Amino acid sequence: MAHDVQHYNLDQKFDFTAATKKIVFTVLGIGAALLVLGIVMAIFGGGHEEAAEAEGHAFHWYERLYANLWINNVYFTGIAIIGVFFFAIQYAAQAGWSTAIIRVMLSLGNWLPIAGILMIVTFFIANHDLFHWTHAYLFDKASPEYDSIIDGKGSFFYWPMAKGTFPVFYIFRMVLFFGFWVFFFKKFQSFTYNEDIIGGTTNWYKIRSWSAFFLIFFAVSSSIAAWDWVMSIDTHWFSTLFGWYVFSSWFVAGLSAITLITMFLKSKGLLEMVNENHVHDLGKFIFGFTIFWTYLWFSQFLLIYYANIPEETVYFVERLSSDIYGPFIFVNIAMNFVLPFLLLMTRDSKRHGVFLKLVCALIIAGHWVDFFLMVQPGTLGHNGGVGFMEVGMFLIYGAAFTFVVLSGLAKGNLVPKNHPMLEESYNHHI
């Protein structure tokens, strides 16, 4: 390692102090209190049940709880896997500028094992309340509720079992994706640990090779996961760019989480090597992929709008025409495009923490709204909305995610001291 890097503490570690943990658990407690309040209001409110019965079916408060679990499961799973994805991108591209913060990127993956358990358990408990295609009568041609369209898609969920029985193929994909995501994450962790101990370039080349395999698997698995976990909620509807759309939402939120953690560590006197040039690059990524998300949102909307095919337009019609979800369409665009675009347009705004902290917090909340709009209309219909239950669940997941990620960061070195491109990161200037 060159001499000019030596005056930095390359063995620095993050100390997850009791004070920081107290803040995280306070947010967790507030979220739990709001969630309980929301559940109590849903149980004794009665309005949704009466509305649902008027539509011909019974609605129960726990259906809204399940929908919120699914929204946050999918959302925070995406942020976690994006951390691993962005880490792998740095090695595949042989990037040097990001060397000082690659451990921050990888730390998001600590949530993946927990996310996998939560996703699988939630699906087994709540599948009939979340996914219309899980009802057996839809595949029974003798049933008055038989659905030929869903029947035609049944093999995608149930193969090799009979349609309407046990969704073997669906569960298999979920287990496969989480299994390989966690496998790659653990593999990257072990290589980075060995790099700190052994030195040299052997582990760097290993990570680069494994990153290539991971990126190929991620490209396929993230798209299919978007179809399985989100698009299949509206079983009749489909979009050929939906996988890209979900990825873009995950990616911007993940970049924002990486930036917030980096700024937090900087505020604690760590990552001294990270300066306004590195922060500027993170800001450019967020700015650029905010526009990319908007491009995909508008492309999907415009194509469906001018084609005006009923089986496609229904997705937007039921959202735009709803008093519950209609306003959130515009909130979604404002939080995820208009405000970030305006706030990060100048060079200076992307180089100063105060702007990035504001925009990143806004984006993380905004893309939760994006997933709320993807999931709730198809699961709850007119019985959805944003209330204490939604805010509480979001805070619980956010606090739990933060605790797991920071706990993982505290277990190893923050700086990859033997990384062959650390010198390049030190001299990074734009």
Side-chain angles (χ1 to χ4, degrees):
M1 194 59 60
H3 177 72
D4 52 2
V5 182
Q6 292 300 319
H7 69 276
Y8 290 112
N9 176 15
L10 300 181
D11 290 307
Q12 62 184 250
K13 293 188 177 183
F14 167 64
D15 181 18
F16 197 6
T17 63
T20 305
K21 290 178 181 177
K22 184 178 179 181
I23 295 172
V24 174
F25 284 120
T26 298
V27 174
L28 183 68
I30 294 171
L34 291 174
L35 176 62
V36 171
L37 178 60
I39 290 172
V40 171
M41 291 178 65
I43 293 173
F44 297 104
H48 286 317
E49 284 81 354
E50 292 170 8
E53 287 171 8
E55 294 175 3
H57 66 276
F59 173 80
H60 304 285
W61 64 269
Y62 54 77
E63 294 176 43
R64 188 163 177 173
L65 178 67
Y66 293 158
N68 279 292
L69 281 169
W70 198 255
I71 292 168
N72 289 283
N73 281 342
V74 174
Y75 184 49
F76 284 96
T77 294
I79 293 176
I81 193 59
I82 285 299
V84 184
F85 166 76
F86 202 44
F87 172 90
I89 283 287
Q90 309 310 310
Y91 281 88
Q94 302 183 58
W97 73 271
S98 55
T99 302
I101 58 173
I102 54 175
R103 298 285 169 86
V104 175
M105 302 172 193
L106 188 61
S107 69
L108 300 188
N110 285 289
W111 180 253
L112 286 173
I114 298 172
I117 294 170
L118 288 172
M119 285 285 287
I120 293 168
V121 170
T122 303
F123 180 79
F124 275 106
I125 293 173
N127 61 85
H128 288 309
D129 296 305
L130 295 172
F131 298 95
H132 185 54
W133 55 263
T134 58
H135 297 279
Y137 56 76
L138 298 171
F139 305 94
D140 182 5
K141 293 182 179 180
S143 170
E145 294 178 292
Y146 169 74
D147 191 311
S148 59
I149 295 176
I150 296 178
D151 187 26
K153 299 180 179 184
S155 296
F156 184 70
F157 304 117
Y158 290 98
W159 181 87
M161 301 284 283
K163 299 174 186 177
T165 54
F166 183 76
V168 175
F169 201 21
Y170 182 93
I171 295 294
F172 170 76
R173 289 194 298 271
M174 186 182 290
V175 173
L176 179 73
F177 295 163
F178 274 107
F180 272 98
W181 289 349
V182 172
F183 168 77
F184 279 110
F185 165 67
K186 293 294 184 183
K187 204 73 177 174
F188 292 147
Q189 267 193 330
S190 67
F191 287 141
T192 56
Y193 175 79
N194 290 336
E195 183 181 69
D196 283 346
I197 301 300
I198 301 170
T201 59
T202 302
N203 285 286
W204 183 88
Y205 280 108
K206 287 181 179 179
I207 298 175
R208 184 185 170 206
S209 298
W210 281 89
S211 293
F213 292 118
F214 169 76
L215 291 172
I216 294 170
F217 182 78
F218 174 81
V220 177
S221 60
S222 61
S223 289
I224 298 175
W227 307 339
D228 280 354
W229 303 345
V230 184
M231 194 168 73
S232 72
I233 289 172
D234 297 275
T235 320
H236 281 195
W237 182 79
F238 64 91
S239 168
T240 53
L241 60 75
F242 196 78
W244 278 106
Y245 178 75
V246 170
F247 163 76
S248 67
S249 193
W250 275 346
F251 194 40
V252 180
L255 289 170
S256 298
I258 291 166
T259 305
L260 282 178
I261 294 171
T262 301
M263 301 305 296
F264 168 73
L265 294 173
K266 286 286 292 178
S267 72
K268 298 296 182 182
L270 302 168
L271 298 179
E272 305 101 316
M273 192 182 296
V274 176
N275 55 42
E276 66 273 9
N277 298 292
H278 302 86
V279 172
H280 188 182
D281 272 344
L282 288 171
K284 287 191 293 185
F285 269 108
I286 293 169
F287 181 75
F289 280 93
T290 289
I291 296 172
F292 179 64
W293 172 85
T294 310
Y295 158 72
L296 291 176
W297 186 96
F298 185 71
S299 296
Q300 183 170 260
F301 176 81
L302 184 65
L303 287 169
I304 291 172
Y305 172 79
Y306 74 63
N308 199 26
I309 302 171
E311 56 264 34
E312 294 180 352
T313 58
V314 64
Y315 182 85
F316 287 103
V317 168
E318 71 176 2
R319 286 159 174 79
L320 285 168
S321 62
S322 168
D323 293 335
I324 297 172
Y325 305 112
F328 282 102
I329 293 282
F330 302 98
V331 170
N332 189 28
I333 296 170
M335 293 181 72
N336 295 321
F337 171 63
V338 177
L339 292 175
F341 181 78
L342 294 176
L343 290 171
L344 291 181
M345 186 178 293
T346 65
R347 171 183 167 88
D348 285 345
S349 66
K350 292 189 282 288
R351 296 174 71 87
H352 293 93
V354 62
F355 282 101
L356 277 176
K357 288 176 185 177
L358 172 63
V359 172
C360 289
L362 182 73
I363 285 173
I364 289 173
H367 280 281
W368 179 91
V369 173
D370 193 23
F371 277 88
F372 160 81
L373 286 169
M374 291 186 224
V375 174
Q376 268 212 18
T379 55
L380 300 179
H382 298 300
N383 300 303
V386 174
F388 290 119
M389 195 183 298
E390 284 70 27
V391 175
M393 189 72 79
F394 175 65
L395 291 178
I396 289 172
Y397 268 80
F401 180 88
T402 302
F403 179 82
V404 170
V405 170
L406 293 183
S407 296
L409 265 180
K411 293 177 181 178
N413 287 346
L414 280 179
V415 179
K417 61 182 180 180
N418 292 319
H419 194 290
M421 294 188 180
L422 190 59
E423 183 76 17
E424 183 177 340
S425 185
Y426 169 79
N427 292 298
H428 181 57
H429 177 76
I430 52 174

